[in-house]
Amino acid sequence: VFLWVATTLLCMIGIVKRLRIKDFWWQGILVFSGFLFLQQGPVYYHLLISAIVVLFGYKKERLWEALLVVILASCWAGISRINWYPLPGALAALLYVLETPLQENEKGNFSLKQPLLLLCVGVVCAFLSNLAYIPLSGNSEIQNFTTSLTSDLLWYRLLPSPTFPKGILTGILWLTSPLLVLFILRMHSINAQFNKLQKLYIGAILLVFFVGGLFVSVKIGGGSNLHNMDAFMLLLLVSVYYVCFSDNYPTFTMSISHTLSIVLMLVLLMQPLFWSLSAWNPRRIYSGE
């Protein structure tokens, strides 16, 4: 319980701290609402260790320090899960993109050199740390470490099934749809803040982790909840928080009607309640015998 609570809270503090919000109450609201969102996956605390290292250590102005942070986080990811290998580099690259509004670039130029470097270095270091871990583990048979690549894929788990009544695909769309709508509407409102390369990277990284999470979720041994969609959930939350609340961008507005904004807000507020209610069952009453 301590690990679930402490790592999720620390991760949210790391995200909100980077937004440079001055209002203490807004900081608290965003920390605890993000905490609630990540717990619904759930997002495992093993993954959050890598994210915490990047969120507190990454500074885009200091490339060598940034690379060291990504290497450390990737080494942890490498001995954890194969689908987490690219996360530290991808998260650092996403922070670079989101923390570089277009008006800060000379003549509006923007380069993906640093984000791609961070991503590549992270994946390579994660792979190497996994190779180093195999002989150190005492279990030197490499096929025991590659079952995630050979296990069966049970595609029926994408939809509601006895293993997971919400379904992987239907569940993740249900859980994240309010944030996705909020993200799309807000990106439309601040479209001038991003060039094509920035928008391409943000869209591509979310899509890759979404599709990758679906593949990992349907392999045998998984699919009982949304924990294999954890990287996508984390990256989506970071993206929404930055474009909506970071002081890098104009004050929060959306070009939608007042009625639609109220409906969206109600859905965001009620989502955790309905998500929890759907998992409840009547209390089982056993006979005296």
Side-chain angles (χ1 to χ4, degrees), residues 156-229:
Y156 72 87
R157 291 185 180 175
L158 288 177
L159 300 176
S161 69
T163 306
F164 184 43
K166 295 185 181 78
I168 301 300
L169 179 59
T170 46
I172 191 63
L173 291 177
W174 174 9
L175 180 62
T176 60
S177 56
L179 283 183
L180 286 169
V181 171
L182 187 65
F183 179 65
I184 292 169
L185 291 174
R186 177 61 173 162
M187 285 293 285
H188 177 72
S189 298
I190 60 172
N191 184 59
Q193 302 294 318
F194 297 96
N195 66 18
K196 291 181 180 179
L197 278 178
Q198 289 171 296
K199 287 184 279 191
L200 177 64
Y201 179 82
I202 296 171
I205 208 69
L206 292 176
L207 181 62
V208 166
F209 277 92
F210 179 79
V211 174
L214 291 179
F215 270 92
V216 178
S217 294
V218 298
K219 72 181 181 64
I220 194 165
S224 60
N225 56 28
L226 296 179
H227 77 270
N228 283 315
M229 302 299 297

Side-chain angles (χ1 to χ4, degrees), residues 2-16 28 31-36 38-39 48 52 56:
F2 173 77
L3 287 172
W4 279 117
V5 174
T7 54
T8 311
L9 270 180
L10 194 57
C11 180
M12 289 312 309
I13 291 170
I15 294 172
V16 173
V31 165
F32 286 106
S33 59
F35 173 90
L36 183 61
L38 295 180
Q39 288 288 343
L48 293 178
I52 288 167
F56 282 94

